[in-house]
Amino acid sequence: MKLYCLSGHPTLPCNVLKFKSTTIMLDCGLDTTSVLNFLPLPLVHSPRLSKLPGWVSKDGTINLEKELKECAGRVFVDSQPEFCLPERELLDLSTIDVILISNYHCMMALPYITEHTGFTGTVYATEPTLQIGRLLMEELVNFMERVPKAQSATCWKNKEIQRLLPGSLKDAVDVWTWKRCYSLQEVNSALSKVQLVGYSQKVELFGAVQVSPLSSGYSLGSSNWIIQSHHEKVSYVSGSSLLTTHPQPMDQSSLKNSDVLILTGLTQIPTANPDGMLGEFCSNLAMTIRAGGNVLVPCYSSGVIYDLLECLYQFIESANLGTTPFYFISPVANSSLEFSQIFAEWLCHNKQTKVYLPEPPFPHAELIQTNKLKHYPSIHGDFSSEFRQPCVVFTGHPSLRFGDVVHFMELWGKSSLNTIIFTEPDFSYLDALAPYQPLSMKCVYCPIDTRLNFHQVSKLLKEVQPLHVVCPEQYTQPPVSQSHRSDLMLELQPPPMPYRRCSVLNLPFRRRYERVYILPELANSLVPSEVKPGISVATVSAVLHSKDNKHTLQSVPKPPPAPSSKKRKRMIEEPPVVLAPKSLLSGAVPLEGFLATLQKHGITEVKVEETPDGHILHLQAQDTLIQLEEDGTHILCDNNEPLRTTLRDLVLRFLQKL
Amino acid sequence: MDRECVSALPRVCEVLAASGGSLPDDTSLEKLLDWFTELSEAGVSLLEACPCLLGFVSAVVSNDAASEPSVLSFTLKLTGLLAASEDGFKVLQDSVLDRVFDFRHWQAAGLWEDPCIRIGWIQGLRTMLQHSQALDFFVQADFTEPLLQLQTDTSLFVASAASQTLAHVLLLCQSVPSPEGRHRETIPVETDGKYSAVVAGFCDYLKKSLVPKEASQLHGSQQVLKLLAKLLTRAGPPLRDRLLLTVSDPLEELVTTNYSQLTLPLMDVILAAHSSCGGGERVARLLSVMLSARNPADLVHAAAAFLRSSHPDPDNRARSAGVLLLPLDVITGLALLGADSSADQHRSSVMEQLRRKTSCVSMICISLTNVPQVTSTAPDCLPCSPAEIVSAVLSVLRLCSGDSPSSSPGCAEVLRNVTGSGRVQKCALDALSALSSSSGVKVLLVEVFTLLIQYLNSPASDPSVIQKSYQVLVKWVDVCADLSDVTEQLREDLVQVVRKRVCDVRWEVRDSTVEFLGHLAAAPASLASDKEKARNALECLPGGRCATVPLLQEALQDPEGYVRASSVSALALTLAPSWQQGAAPPQQEAEIVTRLLEILSQDTQGFSRRAVIRFFVAWISSCSSPSSCSLLTQSIPSILSRGSADLDWEVKVHTLELAELLLDRASESRRHPYAVTPDRTSTHARAVESDPVSMLNSLVDQGVFSALLSGLVDCDRPVGLKACQLLIRLRDTVCPLLLGDQDVSDALVSGSRASCELPGCGWAREVRRILGTATAPRNVHGADGLGPEDRGEEEEEEPAVRVGVCDALRRLRLDERLAVLAQSSDHVHNSPLSLLQDILTVSRTKTHLDSQLGQEVIVDCY
């Protein structure tokens, strides 16, 4: 059993598990942090960005003025942003049988895997994962295609040039594999390969293994996966949460008794408690609005935003923000808000019960109804005529490199009254803000990551007790910035197996058993004999038939009717006549009892010698040796067949026959 | 004693002796006993005043089989009370005393099993043991033995009462009041054979039971240690020495056994011994063992107990300080202890304890909680300066927030135990608060500020931690005379964090933030230069008052009542300086007053309305002259009318306090017509105020008189009482003057006699009713000679009438009312007579019900 690790990002994993002749890809997360090296894509022409100076090396030998721009001491690539894909050289992607998706954030690389690679397998995901994942992909495509860039910068990727570049560009890895965003067509094609599954539904893969998604409590439709054969169980734990937010709670008990547990997707900000951050978010928001400023919240169009809106719903009244408009701007804003309301079965119990009242499960419906929350596909159109300040704007993309957020950064960045509040933990906020410097706007970092923290995960692992844990190497040591926090790492016995990008791990367990079926008629013919109370054994002679990873014992075909002399050829192919099998012996010969029996039969002079495996009995008068060992008994007696037979029969008295 | 009570008592005694089971409730007997105790303490001889009691006691005791255990217990206690006086004792000794306290009789009768009999016996004895005869009786009857047995009684109440009684007996043995006089005479324990048996018995008991043989006896040992500690602190030399001699060996054994549960009581005993006899050598040795040779967890307890006892013993104080500082030293890695500290030997075992979560948190907390005691030790006994201790506490706080690594080696596990621990944070903040007044700590002011602001800013901080951080901040602001030591940046940071926290999601945080602003406004502080006049700490922050008032104004709209109340109080503190300066009210203040009046009339929460009234009280008291507070003067009538119509009695009482203040103001200006007031232009006003009639008229105009009258007839007693007292004061100060000047005033100001309008509804109707019953209505008019009288039906709304203020004051029968109001509202219900009557009534009902045999008795309790 092997694990191929195609991504080193702990929360955007992409691993391939080879297990019992199946090749299973676990998630295909897309590392988008590479876009931080690019200049933002403004929706409206930005004189500031267009006037940024080009970069020329200090000695003037390298001139990449057209590709690289300098802003506040940092260098950015002026080109369509590119993403760092999962590793594609480690194994042949066309051999992948299935892809299991655990949540909509972890499927963004799907088109890169399923398209143009020869992939012919199936993708399994829950319905909300598919639908919201589709929204996020469409949004990404929309953000990119809305602001087309004719130029594609490639010169800077030249190894000789790259090592001379300043800052993060120099350290960027595998830049040649970075790819531009996929097209809508590729998204559709990739998503057409998705087959929907429900929680706890068991899906057979080629009869070899069974996979089943479990609720992971992190987002709508998010799941962990159980991959099991009859005798082995691998659990794949991706982004999971034990907090009570909107999704169905995490199913922990089904993870018990795993041979291997692959652990990914822990919280990225282990020191920040989501509740505390939510509080910070609200107070900073209220403080800014009271002072007459605007609040910008760069966020994904699904996920934490539902919780933020719910929290604000309660907070608005108490903070006297009743008249402040809240705007949600995204090409998929409407669908996201509406989808959240229709996936009732995937929601937590409280929200599910609301549906029966009937009420919308999320209170943002009421915010929309009362006109407190308004959503628009983009800043163009209706929004520009209805826009009122001071206001709160939720919009993407959290990297601040594309999407409507770029416009608001240009618009509001110059005033210290305004505040930008970062809630998504995926990007370093300082890096995200770099191309907007100098910035007067206030910045608040309130990352809300509801995924498991180290305390919760060690409790979980204590509960489910997997034999082995595999995890990204980042989880096996404290974070670099807080090397003294030994509580911010996994400490397990045996220690977890760490992986990094391009690792190939041999998972530390051997398959020892395989399930074999017996046909009823064959089973009927067996004669079991009880060797211990409750345990019976029988001998069986049969033909083993293996097909589609299923093994069946069938009766030996009866010898054909008397061979006709004409068909000689066939005779050769016939199986040899099967002799009735000899009965098998079992049990042990007790020394005391055996000696007593020998004595009864007149053999008295016995010298017993102890050996590492048992005993040697020397019958001195008869000059005969009897070796009694754990797995065999030998009678060594020269030319005295009657004695040998007698002795054999005496030994057999103590043994059971089958 | 009340005549009616005397006549009812014999019947009650009969009832109790006959059918004690039918009592109104189970507290009746206790109330009865309390009444008897009160009487006897007041010097009444119970047997003389109520001769029936003797009969009652003998009746109950002679018929004990038929009596209820509760009545028997009562009888035992009562007998003790009767015998507490020497005369009573003599009377009882001749009759029932032996029988009553014969515990063997109670045991034989099977009644001793009931804890209430045992406790009655113990308490009876305890009450009786006031004189030598009683003590002789105790000794002769050999009650020491049963009392010792009762020390380990299954009932905790019995055991505790027995322990107290034993202590009382032993203390009495050493100083019995002499029969002749009332002075106490100390009898040397050793020489007086009479009582030596008691002491000897007790000493034997101590020897046997002090050291627990098994874990189940730990509780018993604890009890004995407590008793011993009590005796050692109160006993005189002979008894104390005898006790110490007896317990030295067992104590030494206990000290070495390491029973953690016994550490504190043991320490109490040793400290009591140490302080009472000046520290014998043996005791000193025990103490030093307690402070050095036990396991670290017990050591910190013992050291804390020692420091709390404030013994001046320098060696042990130094040792205890070392023990308490060691955990802080270990965890922070700051060398708090000198190189040759005796506590150092425990370093490794302390580290061991700190690695375990529970013992770590509790040990650090004990250390931190006792930091004030440590620093109160003489500096030469301390291994380090208070500033170093402050550094250590700051360091602990940093470790708790997880932001900094410990500089101590091998502390990774320990760090994990304290990171994020709210308990440690709170203890450390308390310690920091206490340390603010230590000498030489001001050098750390910036560090303290930085850390506290970081705590206030942290999203991980619990509301209670934030509240404590604010309190500590105020403490440190209080002690630092010079806020300029704090950098401009820090002050700016503080303002920023406060701005954020007033918008917090949690109301507790908003509340403590608003409170903090108030405290800051009340804290005196000054900037560096002496030339600059002293200002409050708030003014030293960037933006000062102008920056915080809008925050507080916003908080007046808070959805949480507590926050509104706190913001009202904070506003009062913030605005007070401008009132004192007599500045003209800016627009902002007018807005605030409007909002406050809104809160007063509309807010659903009592706290905020109370705060509003207090706000106005504060304003008026700091207002130098009416003309400088014209906005306030205008608002007074509406404040008073809204305040006195409130549903909350505390609001009404506060409103009356406001009225009182106005009365004071009015009478002051009347009494000192030539007093120098800051406002020299208002001579005319003073002239008018110096006239009692116009003063009364102004009080009526302000609504003070109406507020007092409505308070007088209020259904809440404290309100009525306060109003009545104020009205009496007004009557006594003003009316005699007016009467004295009758002729003059008649002649001069007959047309402007002070009068007040009483509307025809609500409280005024009630006042009119009182006035009406007091005098014929005609007289009201006759006296005042005012407009036509209009009497309608009482139920209908009547037109308003005017009454003369003085006249009304005289006719309201205020003194009678005061007498009624001064009694607690349950005085009738709780009177002894009522109790006796209740007992009789219940017994009658029971007899009546019993006579209706065969009928089902259905009692509906509700």
Side-chain angles (χ1 to χ4, degrees), chain B residues 835-861:
Chain B
L835 177 67
L836 297 176
Q837 281 167 347
D838 281 354
I839 295 174
L840 290 175
T841 316
V842 171
S843 96
R844 265 201 300 277
T845 322
K846 181 144 190 293
T847 328
H848 178 63
L849 286 173
D850 286 347
S851 65
Q852 298 173 325
L853 284 172
Q855 281 188 14
E856 200 179 347
V857 183
I858 300 163
V859 183
D860 187 359
C861 302

Side-chain angles (χ1 to χ4, degrees), chain A residues 280 287 290 318 484-486 491, chain B residues 402 405 416 459 500 554 559:
Chain A
E280 280 302 282
M287 184 167 72
R290 281 186 191 180
S318 70
H484 63 284
R485 293 290 295 269
S486 64
E491 274 188 318
Chain B
R416 191 179 297 193
K500 181 172 90 178
E554 191 86 41

Side-chain angles (χ1 to χ4, degrees), chain B residues 659-692:
Chain B
E660 184 177 17
L661 196 66
L662 292 166
L663 277 180
D664 287 347
R665 280 289 158 93
S667 53
E668 263 168 34
S669 56
R670 196 192 65 77
R671 210 174 296 140
H672 310 290
Y674 304 109
V676 181
T677 56
D679 189 0
R680 296 200 155 272
T681 56
S682 62
T683 40
H684 173 69
R686 269 186 294 119
V688 174
E689 276 165 13
S690 66
D691 168 12

Side-chain angles (χ1 to χ4, degrees), chain A residues 163-420:
Chain A
R163 70 187 172 81
L164 299 171
L165 295 182
S168 60
L169 279 179
K170 184 177 64 184
D171 305 324
V173 286
D174 296 337
V175 289
W176 281 106
T177 64
W178 288 11
K179 282 271 178 295
R180 296 175 70 151
C181 189
Y182 32 72
S183 67
L184 203 56
Q185 198 184 356
E186 286 166 324
V187 170
N188 287 332
S189 167
L191 294 182
S192 67
K193 298 181 173 83
V194 175
Q195 191 161 330
L196 296 180
V197 283
Y199 287 148
S200 305
Q201 180 185 336
K202 293 189 168 78
V203 180
E204 285 278 342
L205 302 183
F206 319 113
V209 294
Q210 210 180 41
V211 295
S212 172
L214 306 172
S215 170
S216 77
Y218 169 55
S219 59
L220 271 176
S222 69
S223 34
N224 293 321
W225 291 85
I226 299 286
I227 303 139
Q228 58 186 342
S229 65
H230 296 299
H231 297 285
E232 297 87 17
K233 179 171 173 180
V234 177
S235 302
Y236 173 57
V237 175
S238 185
S240 303
S241 175
L242 291 172
L243 300 181
T244 320
T245 56
H246 58 271
Q248 238 188 62
M250 179 180 177
D251 178 354
Q252 301 178 60
S253 56
S254 307
L255 298 172
K256 277 185 185 165
N257 306 319
S258 306
D259 295 288
V260 173
L261 187 142
I262 303 168
L263 180 69
T264 66
L266 300 186
T267 173
Q268 301 189 69
I269 317 289
T271 48
N273 164 13
D275 277 339
M277 287 300 154
L278 214 50
E280 280 302 282
F281 171 79
C282 289
S283 38
N284 280 298
L285 186 145
M287 184 167 72
T288 308
I289 297 290
R290 281 186 191 180
N294 300 293
V295 177
L296 179 61
V297 188
C299 61
Y300 292 116
S301 49
S302 179
V304 173
I305 187 170
Y306 303 140
D307 298 321
L308 287 180
L309 290 176
E310 180 153 5
C311 179
L312 283 175
Y313 170 77
Q314 291 158 358
F315 183 65
I316 284 175
E317 290 308 318
S318 70
N320 296 321
L321 299 176
T323 53
T324 312
F326 286 71
Y327 301 116
F328 177 21
I329 303 169
S330 155
V332 297
N334 187 30
S335 320
S336 166
L337 292 175
E338 288 186 355
F339 268 141
S340 66
Q341 305 284 21
I342 59 167
F343 290 126
E345 58 179 297
W346 305 90
L347 293 172
C348 63
H349 179 74
N350 263 349
K351 296 216 178 309
Q352 276 191 27
T353 46
K354 278 196 166 182
V355 180
Y356 298 105
L357 288 177
E359 268 174 29
F362 285 94
H364 56 237
E366 197 185 316
L367 289 177
I368 295 171
Q369 235 168 29
T370 53
N371 262 337
K372 283 177 182 152
L373 173 67
K374 294 180 182 175
H375 54 85
Y376 302 91
S378 126
I379 52 165
H380 301 302
D382 290 348
F383 174 71
S384 47
S385 55
E386 291 174 32
F387 176 52
R388 255 186 324 117
Q389 303 193 69
C391 64
V392 181
V393 170
F394 296 88
T395 188
H397 185 267
S399 66
L400 307 190
R401 292 302 178 270
F402 40 84
D404 302 88
V405 73
V406 177
H407 176 72
F408 288 99
M409 286 304 295
E410 295 288 330
L411 186 70
W412 289 343
K414 289 168 215 82
S415 164
S416 60
L417 280 180
N418 302 326
T419 306
I420 176 167

Side-chain angles (χ1 to χ4, degrees), chain B residues 670 686-697 738 749 752:
Chain B
R670 196 192 65 77
R686 269 186 294 119
V688 174
E689 276 165 13
S690 66
D691 168 12
V693 177
S694 43
M695 174 198 131
L696 277 182
N697 271 331
L738 283 176
V749 285
S752 59

